[in-house]
Amino acid sequence: MTGTSDSAVFRLGYVPGVTPGKWARMWSERRPRVPLELVTTTPDEAATLIRRGAVDAAVLRLPVDRSGLHTIPLYTETTVAVVPKDHVVTATEEATVADLADEIVLHPQDDVLDWPGDRPGRPAAFAPATTAEAVELVAAGVGLLLVPQSLARLHHRRDLTYRPVADAPGSGVGLAWPDAENSELMEEFIGIVRGRTVNSSRTPRPDATPAPGGPDPARKKGGRHRPARRGTHRR
């Protein structure tokens, strides 16, 4: 963020699969004079961009190294198995890790899932460099792929489909920003992603003025004048 709140630019990084459009629209309504610049980043580079000051905040995959960062979780995505449309897994609405025991499961080098133990299925002969390449291999019949649901949608193909894997770990998505005193604009964006309304926002409106006839904001609370006590009249 540079300049004053009226001339600054708020830079938001985001990783593949995340869709910040809703938050960007809300920002433009609340801060029309401060552009929000969206910066695409890889999961591995998102935190580094924040620490370098290249972005003011980022929506990224959790867990993340929190050194030098504030983080708040936003939501957890369902993990799905990406398979050809004629694959046996498509016979059910939901698969389990056990259903994939005999399948070749591709493990791309940019995998974002955090497995607590061994990955399901049989390992492929090599690890594709990216999730996009792994999707191409699924289409070629080499194996199947486990990814967060948003990435399955991002790499959608007509010849592929996906099924939720009930007992697979989910993929957490969170907001991260520098571990320092929050600026007014940072508080505004935190409020947006947390669902605060304009009236409940912690940040003052830059164009806020007292309503005509309303109370003077400079007057202290409890500063009302008590009416003078009327004297009693004795007959």
Side-chain angles (χ1 to χ4, degrees):
M1 290 172 285
T2 58
T4 66
S5 61
D6 288 342
S7 62
V9 174
F10 190 88
R11 296 180 177 86
L12 177 68
Y14 69 100
V15 298
V18 172
T19 52
K22 174 183 176 181
W23 299 323
R25 288 191 297 272
M26 295 177 66
W27 178 275
S28 65
E29 293 171 0
R30 299 189 189 185
R31 294 283 179 168
R33 291 178 289 183
V34 182
L36 188 147
E37 181 181 327
L38 296 176
V39 180
T40 57
T41 178
T42 65
D44 290 339
E45 295 177 346
T48 301
L49 291 182
I50 301 171
R51 296 188 184 100
R52 289 205 327 243
V55 295
D56 298 297
V59 186
L60 39 65
R61 298 281 174 184
L62 300 176
V64 65
D65 178 5
R66 296 178 58 182
S67 57
L69 302 177
H70 286 302
T71 61
I72 53 174
L74 299 178
Y75 57 89
T76 301
E77 283 194 66
T78 299
T79 295
V80 301
V82 180
V83 297
K85 282 192 171 181
D86 58 354
H87 195 279
V88 64
V89 168
T90 61
T92 62
E93 292 297 321
E94 190 175 67
T96 66
V97 169
D99 294 333
L100 311 178
D102 296 328
E103 301 288 341
I104 293 177
V105 178
L106 298 164
H107 185 194
Q109 296 174 32
D110 63 355
D111 182 28
V112 297
L113 292 175
D114 186 28
W115 292 89
D118 294 335
R119 294 177 59 84
R122 297 183 292 140
F126 68 99
T130 65
T131 297
E133 291 182 18
V135 170
E136 294 291 333
L137 293 173
V138 174
V142 174
L144 57 81
L145 177 65
L146 295 171
V147 291
Q149 185 169 318
S150 67
L151 289 182
R153 291 173 175 170
L154 178 65
H155 297 286
H156 170 72
R157 289 175 52 118
R158 291 184 179 181
D159 52 349
L160 300 180
T161 189
Y162 60 84
R163 289 292 185 271
V165 182
D167 50 352
S171 176
V173 174
L175 176 67
W177 68 98
D179 184 7
E181 183 177 355
N182 292 345
S183 67
E184 179 183 319
L185 296 181
M186 191 65 241
E187 283 288 351
E188 183 77 81
F189 191 76
I190 293 170
I192 287 173
V193 299
R194 282 185 161 172
R196 295 191 204 125
T197 64
V198 174
N199 293 333
S200 66
S201 175
R202 297 180 183 178
T203 58
R205 308 311 311 152
D207 55 351
T209 56
D216 184 354
R219 181 177 296 174
K220 295 181 179 179
K221 292 183 180 180
R224 296 183 300 174
H225 296 289
R226 295 182 179 179
R229 177 179 293 180
R230 295 181 182 178
T232 58
H233 176 69
R234 295 182 180 179
R235 293 182 180 177

